[in-house]
Amino acid sequence: MVEWTAEERAAIQGVFNKLDYESVGRESLTRCLVVYPWTRRYFGGFGNLFNAEAIMANPKVAAHGIVVLQGLEKALKNMDDIKNTYASLSEFHSVKLQVDPVNFQLLSDCLTVVIATRLRTEFTPDVQAAWQKFLAVVVSALSRQYH
Amino acid sequence: MLPVAEEIGSEALLRMFTTFPKTKTYFSHLDISARSEHLRCHGKKIVEALAEGARNISTLTTTLAPLSRFHAYQLRIHPTNFKLFNHCIIVTLACHMGDNFTPVAHAAIDKFLSAFSAVLAEKFR
């Protein structure tokens, strides 16, 4: 089981308190599709994803960004058992969506970068470390149900 | 970027050591605590090398040949660590630049750092 210190819990909750799901969700997914263009393969039904401008203006990308952050909130609310909380989500990503788990890390990194642009000096090395530990647990849980 | 090379470089290193503690294993010979002389000096060296690569972006393999040999035969850092450091450079830039670190700028820097790391790892075997 993952052990969280009081400082880590506070840091992670602190980041969430400052998150505007709509803005951060949209921009994280946008960055993922722009910086790692091969991830567009999973969003065939989203319409125009041909260039950065199109992606940034795409309403389906914006809507899906919120869905991702709402999913992340579930992990925050169940920090002591993320593995089981995400069991069905993991199966969904593997069986239905067929996403290569390597991409979870890419989106996770983009989310971290967006948070850095918003929080600036408040995103200290210690806060970053706690936040990335949280995301690493999330990514691992999402990757578990692949067979 | 050069005047802040020391600031960006040392912060990126500190972020990497804090988030990925295993990376500290390559620096047992230096004092890598926050704001130490070694950390600032080393951070500056790395960013200056990146800037040199950017100035000669079409000839990365030739420009970085000595650094490439150094990383392969002397430092022998496992190449997965380059990705971890690149990520921390990007986070540092994001913290300093805020919204000015646009998705397009992010993509360009990520691509450059990947290419740079690939050259550094070229001679490993």
Side-chain angles (χ1 to χ4, degrees):
Chain A
M1 210 191 76
V2 185
E3 301 283 338
W4 305 99
T5 66
E7 290 80 13
E8 284 170 340
R9 288 180 196 270
I12 294 158
Q13 183 67 61
V15 169
F16 263 92
N17 290 344
K18 300 183 181 88
L19 288 190
D20 169 352
Y21 284 17
E22 197 192 311
S23 155
V24 171
R26 182 187 66 231
E27 198 180 321
S28 302
L29 188 52
T30 295
R31 278 182 193 257
C32 191
L33 297 168
V34 169
V35 179
Y36 310 110
W38 55 91
T39 56
R40 295 173 205 179
R41 74 188 303 284
Y42 298 112
F43 298 93
F46 274 35
N48 187 355
L49 298 177
F50 295 126
N51 52 54
E53 292 72 29
I55 295 168
M56 289 191 271
N58 188 309
K60 289 190 169 163
V61 171
H64 200 69
I66 299 175
V67 167
V68 169
L69 282 194
Q70 285 167 343
L72 216 53
E73 190 186 78
K74 266 204 204 99
L76 173 76
K77 297 202 162 106
N78 295 277
M79 262 175 74
D80 292 309
D81 195 13
I82 294 175
K83 193 167 75 183
N84 286 319
T85 305
Y86 269 33
S88 56
L89 248 185
S90 177
E91 200 171 315
F92 182 60
H93 281 76
S94 106
V95 174
K96 285 266 144 43
L97 301 179
Q98 308 246 305
V99 178
D100 183 343
V102 111
N103 296 291
F104 300 148
Q105 190 59 52
L106 300 184
L107 180 56
S108 157
D109 286 347
C110 286
L111 178 56
T112 303
V113 172
V114 173
I115 288 169
T117 64
R118 299 285 198 275
L119 267 51
R120 314 285 303 259
T121 49
E122 282 177 40
F123 199 56
T124 63
D126 285 331
V127 171
Q128 179 188 351
W131 177 252
Q132 297 217 207
K133 178 177 168 179
F134 172 70
L135 287 183
V137 174
V138 165
V139 165
S140 165
L142 264 182
S143 309
R144 283 197 101 237
Q145 303 297 334
Y146 280 68
H147 307 287
Chain B
M1 191 168 143
L2 275 196
V4 301
E6 194 180 277
E7 200 183 318
I8 300 282
S10 60
E11 186 181 323
L13 280 170
L14 183 63
R15 285 182 183 278
M16 183 181 71
F17 296 142
T18 315
T19 305
F20 310 109
K22 62 174 188 143
T23 55
K24 291 190 289 189
T25 58
Y26 292 99
F27 293 88
S28 50
H29 59 293
L30 294 181
D31 166 17
I32 50 172
S33 53
R35 289 175 298 280
S36 77
E37 182 61 43
H38 285 169
L39 191 72
R40 287 204 314 269
C41 186
H42 202 71
K44 183 167 179 222
K45 226 188 281 188
I46 294 177
V47 170
E48 284 175 347
L50 287 170
E52 180 68 20
R55 276 193 295 272
N56 300 279
I57 205 165
S58 321
T59 54
L60 272 183
T61 307
T62 333
T63 309
L64 299 180
L67 259 184
S68 186
R69 273 192 299 275
F70 184 56
H71 280 75
Y73 304 129
Q74 259 135 294
L75 298 180
R76 289 173 294 185
I77 296 173
H78 195 293
T80 48
N81 294 292
F82 298 150
K83 279 206 183 81
L84 302 182
F85 184 59
N86 291 344
H87 172 69
C88 290
I89 294 177
I90 286 171
V91 170
T92 303
L93 288 175
C95 286
H96 282 252
M97 295 170 65
D99 289 334
N100 289 326
F101 192 58
T102 62
V104 171
H106 178 175
I109 298 277
D110 193 283
K111 182 174 173 180
F112 170 67
L113 292 175
S114 299
F116 195 100
S117 309
V119 172
L120 281 186
E122 225 170 47
K123 298 187 169 51
F124 273 54
R125 54 177 168 186

